[in-house]
Amino acid sequence: MIGKLRSSLSLRLSECNRADILKSMGYAQPTERNLARLGKVLADRDLGLNDGAYDLRYSDEEFLRALCSALGVDEALVDVEIAAILREHECQVAAFKPYLWVDTGFTRKNQPLFALAALEQFRYLDFEPTFWRLPLHEQIARAGRRIREHLESTGGELRVWGPVQQYWFFYSKDSAYLLGKNGDIIGKREGPVPSMSGGTRQWSASSSDKKKR
């Protein structure tokens, strides 16, 4: 449905002068910035509703509604699609975003905490924003490919943290699969995990949870 509104707007605009449309929206003398915002809205998956933009005239939603009105799009349809976009965005924001944590078995000795904090980001591997929507088996398969790419790009070692031993794939806040360096599942952990302390965090799967290769 959201694609339908974007297509409708693009089709109607193809028959109009964009500067004239902006004038009908209240921009007496449309600027390059105004034109750029219009182009960005049309290209954006969410039609600019989640950009947080404001140009002293319109917020995101006000701009889209003014554009739809200027192009004669049915108001009821606009209401439905804007609600759908905002609802989808709320789900995206609230959802847990799966990630990989690189386990090197690191134990802090005399490394400065500020240095460890600065390098902590390299122990986390994120995925694209919509990754969480995939079925779990597809997430795990993609995580395995990401592991192999990471090992190739790093040579299997992280600065300061040391040689990579394994990876934890967190698919929910308190649940993770332990993946080997070939991407295979070798264990699982359920329940709260130990919090980071002193720049280190190392976990292990219980023997009862380990799976045979």
Side-chain angles (χ1 to χ4, degrees), residues 102-107 111 116 119 123 150-151 154-166:
V102 186
D103 189 351
T104 63
F106 175 81
T107 300
Q111 298 90 343
L116 295 178
L119 295 171
R123 295 204 287 180
H150 181 257
L151 288 170
T154 63
E157 185 161 354
L158 298 185
R159 179 185 172 191
V160 175
W161 303 117
V164 176
Q165 295 184 3
Q166 55 197 12

Side-chain angles (χ1 to χ4, degrees), residues 76-89:
L77 174 63
V78 174
D79 288 341
V80 169
E81 298 214 12
I82 285 179
I85 292 172
L86 295 178
R87 184 165 55 250
E88 181 177 335
H89 180 68

Side-chain angles (χ1 to χ4, degrees), residues 176-196:
Y177 280 106
L178 177 61
L179 305 181
K181 292 194 287 185
N182 60 359
D184 289 345
I185 297 175
I186 57 178
K188 185 178 181 181
R189 184 184 185 102
E190 298 285 353
V193 298
S195 61
M196 188 176 72

Side-chain angles (χ1 to χ4, degrees), residues 127-147:
F127 298 89
E128 65 271 20
T130 57
F131 179 84
W132 64 275
R133 294 181 179 276
L134 296 174
L136 182 56
H137 71 277
E138 289 188 28
Q139 291 184 21
I140 294 172
R142 293 272 293 277
R145 291 198 292 272
R146 183 71 183 280
I147 285 172

Side-chain angles (χ1 to χ4, degrees), residues 13-61:
L13 274 171
S14 68
E15 303 171 351
C16 305
N17 180 287
R18 293 194 176 191
D20 289 339
I21 291 299
L22 286 168
K23 288 179 181 178
S24 69
M25 291 169 60
Y27 296 95
Q29 295 182 322
T31 64
E32 288 299 321
R33 180 173 294 182
N34 300 146
L35 288 166
R37 183 180 186 184
L38 176 56
K40 185 176 181 180
V41 165
L42 294 174
D44 182 50
R45 181 178 182 276
D46 293 337
L47 294 174
L49 283 175
N50 299 307
D51 284 349
Y54 185 73
D55 59 8
L56 302 183
R57 177 174 292 277
Y58 294 125
S59 64
D60 293 337
E61 182 173 342

